């Protein structure tokens, strides 16, 4: 099994945050998935072609440290987003040539 990890943090000033629960912002799922796309580009030089499955288990707050973990096993690309030991999101993706 091949694996890759990339830390990330969504800054408090991110333009998507003011409209996403004003007064108590959460990082939108699409911004978390952009971190998955960035990790895939960094790992394999591929673009994110398809999200086959995604499950969000816990919220990510602006300014918190998180990590995207990618793994490939039996031809499937899986992702996890974690804050320390806590699972925030997981799923299956497909990459394509950039």
């Amino acid at each position: 099994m091949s694996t890759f990890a990339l830390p990330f943090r969504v800054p408090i000033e991110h333009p998507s945050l003011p409209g996403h629960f004003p007064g108590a912002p959460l990082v939108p799922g699409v911004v978390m998935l952009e971190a998955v796309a960035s990790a895939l580009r960094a790992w394999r030089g591929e673009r994110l072609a398809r999200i086959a499955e995604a499950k969000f288990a816990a919220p990510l707050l602006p300014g918190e440290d998180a990590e995207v973990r990618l793994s490939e096993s039996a031809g499937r690309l899986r992702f996890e987003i974690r804050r320390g030991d806590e699972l925030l999101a997981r799923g299956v993706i497909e990459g394509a040539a950039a």
Side-chain angles (χ1 to χ4, degrees), residues 5-92:
L6 185 69
F8 74 99
R9 178 185 301 157
V10 177
I12 295 169
E13 313 76 39
H14 192 280
S16 71
L17 297 175
H20 208 74
F21 303 108
L26 299 176
V27 175
V30 69
V31 175
M32 294 170 69
L33 291 172
E34 177 55 36
V36 172
S38 294
L40 183 60
R41 279 192 304 273
W43 183 32
R44 297 173 51 154
E46 296 180 1
R47 66 177 175 81
L48 179 60
R50 180 172 174 258
I51 301 165
E53 175 185 321
K55 173 146 176 87
F56 296 90
L60 178 64
L61 302 177
E64 289 185 323
D65 291 325
E67 181 178 72
V68 175
R69 298 178 186 174
L70 300 176
S71 62
E72 182 177 24
S73 179
R76 294 194 74 169
L77 283 173
R78 298 183 183 278
F79 75 86
E80 288 186 347
I81 299 174
R82 292 189 168 269
R83 177 181 47 232
D85 291 335
E86 184 179 12
L87 178 68
L88 304 179
R90 66 174 171 74
V92 177

